[in-house]
Amino acid sequence: MSDQLKLDTFICFAVYTASHAFNRVYKPLLDKLGLTYPQYLAMVCLWEEDSQTVGGLGEKLFLESSTLTPLLKRLETAGYIRRERSRQDERVVVLHLTEEGKRLKEKAETVPGCIIDASGRDADQLVRLQAEIVALREALNKSAS
Amino acid sequence: MSDQLKLDTFICFAVYTASHAFNRVYKPLLDKLGLTYPQYLAMVCLWEEDSQTVGGLGEKLFLESSTLTPLLKRLETAGYIRRERSRQDERVVVLHLTEEGKRLKEKAETVPGCIIDASGRDADQLVRLQAEIVALREALNKSAS
DNA sequence: CGACAATAAATCGTGTGCGATATAAAAGCT
DNA sequence: AGCTTTTATATCGCACACGATTTATTGTCG
């Protein structure tokens, strides 16, 4: 059916544009921290658990090393992390938060609240919607693998 | 609360990764058409209504001219569209589907079905979820403007 | 032990995305 | 008409994002 090719009915398009919309809301908040959105995600990941590997971060963020390596180099240049080859396995690069990187967490604490406010939804709605989108993501990833 | 900074609870992260997941499912399908995902969106837009302007397309796709201009030039090089300055207003560029661009629609008809299959969800669920995500997008865009 | 496969990052090329700026045309104003 | 402002695209610089490939190291198997 030709009717299938309607942009406004594509859930993928909704997700694609929502992702951009989130970015626009995050931008002014993250500018104050000197981070881009993907950099912020990497920092959140390290705040949760310091000294992760590039590969470990990639699995959690669903990103390739070809994306992460340059991004992490920028975070290192910014002074937020250190990148060190593992002694046990020289192939692996371990990421450590610097003191400045740890301090940045305090300044980032207010960000999630701003995003929730901008979403115009209450916590329950967001939790439910988030779970549905994660389930969708899992189905897509399974299908693509 | 420090507990706020948990990656797995971020709806933005769910949306961000779901968007990438969609891209991975689309890639092999769109490779056959010689299109990237954003190029595909632009073509869908023109299949719905031919002879739109760059600005009009940008409003529908939520993209800037700095993104669209190079993308549309690639579609022109590929032979799917023509870009022509309007006679009435020389500032405006009008986009016309070529015959090849129109023919491509037939080959694209099967794509949405494949995506729905990959999502592992029935039509009703997708319609509902799509509406929720669009509402979220609108709230975010309103907040950012 | 040594060739070979597997693994982890990094590199490279292409294509988005966007903010800031530039360019050119149209519209508005005196 | 002449000058200013607005509007529509285009250009530029930077930062993703990924597939394909490369490099270096580790693991494996005869």
Side-chain angles (χ1 to χ4, degrees), chain A residues 23-80:
Chain A
N23 227 310
R24 277 189 282 275
V25 175
Y26 267 107
K27 181 111 190 11
L29 301 171
L30 295 183
D31 278 350
K32 293 180 197 162
L33 308 181
L35 295 174
T36 65
Y37 180 65
Q39 288 169 7
Y40 168 70
L41 292 179
M43 292 301 290
V44 169
C45 222
L46 288 170
W47 287 328
E48 283 183 21
E49 183 188 342
D50 200 353
S51 306
Q52 295 188 68
T53 67
V54 172
L57 217 63
E59 264 186 50
K60 289 181 184 169
L61 300 178
F62 300 89
L63 294 175
E64 305 296 319
S65 72
S66 46
T67 301
L68 280 176
T69 296
L71 183 154
L72 295 168
K73 282 184 177 177
R74 285 179 207 110
L75 285 179
E76 188 173 41
T77 302
Y80 294 142

Side-chain angles (χ1 to χ4, degrees), chain B residues 16 24 55 65-66 69 73 83 91-93:
Chain B
Y16 167 83
R24 276 189 282 276
S65 72
S66 47
T69 297
K73 282 184 176 177
R83 297 160 60 244
R91 292 172 302 182
V92 173
V93 168

